[in-house]
Amino acid sequence: MVDPFVPRHCPGGERAARDQRTAALRTFVRQAEATQASTGHHNRNYVVPVSKEVAAELGRAPGTPVTVRVRRHDTLSVVIRTWQDEGAVLKAVRDALPDAPECLARGDGFAVHSHVEGVPLSSVCGNGKPVDTLLVKALVELLARMTRVRRSALPPLPADWPAHRTDSQAFLKCLARLADRQIRRPNWDKFGGLFTALGVPEDALLALADRVPAMARRPYGLLHTDLHRDNLILPYDGTPPLVCVDWELATYGDPLHDLATHLVRMRYPAHQWPEVIDAWVAAVRAVRPAAVTGVTKDLRHYLDFERAQSVYPDVMRAARSLEESFTQPRLDRATEQVRRALTAAQGPLGLGRVPAKQEIERALFRWLMSRGGIRGREWPGQGHGWEPDPRLPEHPAFPAAAVRDALLAEGGAPADRVFKGTAHLNTVVWVPGALTPVVVRRMLPDVCRREPSYLSEHAVLRAIQESGARVAAPRVLALGRSYPDDPFAVHTYVGPRLGLSPDHPVNGLRPHEADALVDQLCELTKVDHTRLDPNAGDVDFHEWMKEQLVGLVQSLPKESLQLARALGLPDHWRLREILSRHRVSRRKAVLLHGDLNPWNLVRRDDKLALTVIDWEMALVGDPLYDLVRHIHLTPTSREIRERMFRRWERGLDPEYTRDWFLDRHVYRRIEIVRSAYVDLDRLVTGASLDAPNVRRAVDSYATTLASATAALGLPMPATVDPHLARALA
């Protein structure tokens, strides 16, 4: 079509006219931006009348209201985008949904759409309120009509889209991987450490994709994927009843995904969900019967995905809200928002326990403090400071200023430097001017640990250092509390150079490592344990250990005890009776690590071979116990096991080793039984399931249970529910 404003004889006239129209359109957009905007998550929307200068370009009479949509550049990347051109999608839906907005023009970062006269559903029926039945019917009819949009009318799909256009399982797998690629990865450098501190692992979405089960086949169709109350307009004249806007997140796939995102984002009250689902099934069945196959079985998988991927935008938006202006009410709201998101995603992502409110609040505050430039009237002056613990004097090589720098760097540490265990959060940071990195170590609040701590970790590490024993253990550099009432310790870092993950002997020790660990256990005899526990040498360690186990069983919650009885494990009275049959010889007491699982050992490149970390469960007692517990917790071949016992016997005086050959079986029996109760309780409560040593233990619980009942001389009960038995296996 020839532009009437371009003289035919003028060289380059067409280009000049086009440039003139583009300039006029940009001026129109800039003028629109000077008006009040309706701000969404991804765009700023300005409703303005068409000016004379752009009326011809937009194909609308001057004064006609249009919507100018300007892409926001200050937002996080928190959505899955299949197509970048919303206008092409709107063009494709015109036949099926003639009342949808029309894209009149688009440019770099903006688009002009026809304006839908009306009010958003959210303004007359807010989140959580039930939606009128007639509106629900109109709504699901919109979703049903989307299935009529021809694939050929839509823009090309990405190359990695499922090849078979009815494969629901492949589509959901594709969604999970896209969420990882487009949502998690772009934000991981900034927020990865925060997610790790909250217990969300880096591979959570990819693991979810691998777990997607087989599903019924449904023909693909056009999906809106963001149909919530703000994106549904009630026209003033009531014709049609509803119009859906904001198509920028549209995609092509299983229609059941659109129903799931709609159910979650519309915030229906729980009692209205069945009504909406039934209405959707009836509406879609009338248009495309094959699209409702398997709804009852498969809807939950899409709901799980929606809740799983939502944890990323919800947590990041909560954290970002604190950067804008810090106040305690904002921190409280952000904490609650994060807790809700983690609770919803816990099952779908296979997370461990949801952190307590105090743990979330502290993690958010540390992340915020690391950002710098925090604004807000209620910003506490002590936020950047810390209070030293008088039990530990200032370290000459790590003064108070260095501690402050470590705390400021902690919240912004990348995910590969944040390590969350069963009871501690460890963050590796580099302090300016220091030659090596350090570890900021914090006790997790409200952690349910069935195995208690007996000694102060910092006192144990100081005693080891001052003894001169050749034990490779971290050194304590600082001890104190930071805001808000958050205790911490700073240790020397004992892992490899930054960028490499610590190497743990998770599959067992090599021969030279087994020798080195035994030698370090022997060196612990040089530590003056009387400074740590003056009365330990007067106690029969074995009898004390049995009573600790009986007390642990007695303190288990009712749900764990009920399941234990169902599986044939005795109550605490019967357990005490069985354990009382066994005795061990008395050996001279020494300092024990108490928890030598593989993740508490870090490989190193020198004669010591291993650094022993995490001394919070240290205690004083029988030296045989530390070795037996290590072998129980670590995959160990018979050759390595015998090698360690023989070297240990040769390295110590007889007062430490007498009758070890007989007594090792007694301690092994105690550890097997302890694991049966502790791991069962973790399965019931979900405590510490995100720690790798705990995950490996509970994954093999069926074997642990069989070994424990055999060690106690008890049969497996014949009445165990077969479904429960298979689940434990």
Side-chain angles (χ1 to χ4, degrees), residues 23 71 73 127 162 221 274 326 403 653:
R71 179 72 62 87
H73 298 291
N127 288 333
F326 177 86
V403 177
D653 293 335

Side-chain angles (χ1 to χ4, degrees), residues 512-571:
H512 77 285
E513 293 170 343
D515 292 346
L517 180 58
V518 168
D519 292 345
Q520 293 194 50
L521 294 181
C522 293
E523 285 286 305
L524 286 177
T525 60
K526 299 178 181 178
V527 178
D528 182 8
H529 63 77
T530 60
R531 295 173 46 191
L532 302 169
D533 190 351
N535 301 318
D538 302 328
V539 176
D540 186 319
F541 180 78
H542 173 247
E543 292 298 321
W544 176 83
M545 181 63 66
K546 289 192 296 186
E547 283 304 310
Q548 294 301 304
L549 177 54
V550 170
L552 182 152
V553 173
Q554 186 177 8
S555 68
L556 291 177
K558 181 176 67 174
E559 295 80 4
S560 299
L561 289 173
Q562 287 175 338
L563 184 54
R565 284 195 294 270
L567 295 174
L569 293 173
D571 61 20

Side-chain angles (χ1 to χ4, degrees), residues 94-335:
R94 293 297 295 169
D95 289 340
L97 298 167
D99 299 297
E102 181 183 354
C103 183
L104 307 177
R106 54 182 174 269
D108 185 16
F110 71 88
V112 182
H113 290 181
S114 60
H115 179 60
V116 179
E117 294 284 355
V119 295
L121 177 61
S122 59
S123 65
V124 296
C125 182
N127 288 333
K129 295 182 179 179
V131 178
D132 182 79
T133 299
L134 292 178
L135 285 179
V136 170
K137 183 179 179 181
L139 223 165
V140 296
E141 286 176 354
L142 284 176
L143 291 169
R145 284 157 61 189
M146 290 179 203
T147 64
R148 296 177 177 173
V149 177
R150 301 187 314 277
R151 168 69 194 91
S152 58
L154 293 166
L157 287 166
D160 56 356
W161 219 251
H164 299 288
R165 304 300 192 223
T166 60
D167 192 338
S168 303
Q169 182 190 42
F171 177 67
L172 184 49
K173 285 177 176 284
C174 179
L175 285 177
R177 295 184 180 118
L178 286 172
D180 182 74
R181 185 189 313 156
Q182 297 187 22
I183 300 176
R184 184 197 64 81
R185 291 187 197 177
N187 298 294
W188 199 247
D189 286 347
K190 183 175 181 179
F191 294 96
L194 174 61
F195 278 107
T196 303
L198 295 172
V200 181
E202 184 175 2
D203 63 347
L205 284 169
L206 297 180
L208 174 64
D210 292 339
R211 294 194 303 270
V212 173
M215 296 193 290
R217 288 182 173 272
R218 284 172 290 274
Y220 288 6
L222 174 66
L223 315 179
H224 186 281
T225 79
D226 197 26
L227 209 56
H228 52 75
R229 301 184 193 220
D230 288 328
N231 286 343
L232 289 165
I233 305 299
L234 298 168
Y236 291 129
D237 60 4
T239 306
L242 284 171
V243 176
C244 51
V245 297
D246 287 9
W247 287 80
E248 60 188 331
L249 304 185
T251 189
Y252 186 77
D254 185 350
L256 200 54
H257 174 51
D258 226 6
L259 174 61
T261 57
H262 173 68
L263 285 170
V264 173
R265 300 183 189 190
M266 273 289 283
R267 308 275 182 89
Y268 288 108
H271 68 81
Q272 198 171 17
W273 276 46
E275 175 193 348
V276 178
I277 295 169
D278 291 344
W280 181 88
V281 170
V284 175
R285 179 181 284 133
V287 176
R288 205 169 189 186
V292 301
T293 304
V295 169
T296 304
K297 172 177 171 289
D298 293 343
L299 177 59
R300 63 187 178 92
H301 302 309
Y302 284 107
L303 291 172
D304 282 348
F305 167 72
E306 176 65 15
R307 291 163 179 147
Q309 68 88 21
S310 292
V311 76
Y312 296 93
D314 287 352
V315 170
M316 292 186 291
R317 285 169 178 156
R320 280 282 297 271
S321 71
L322 300 176
E323 284 187 298
E324 298 167 4
S325 177
F326 177 86
T327 64
Q328 188 59 48
R330 272 185 180 248
L331 181 57
D332 292 340
R333 287 195 298 270
T335 299

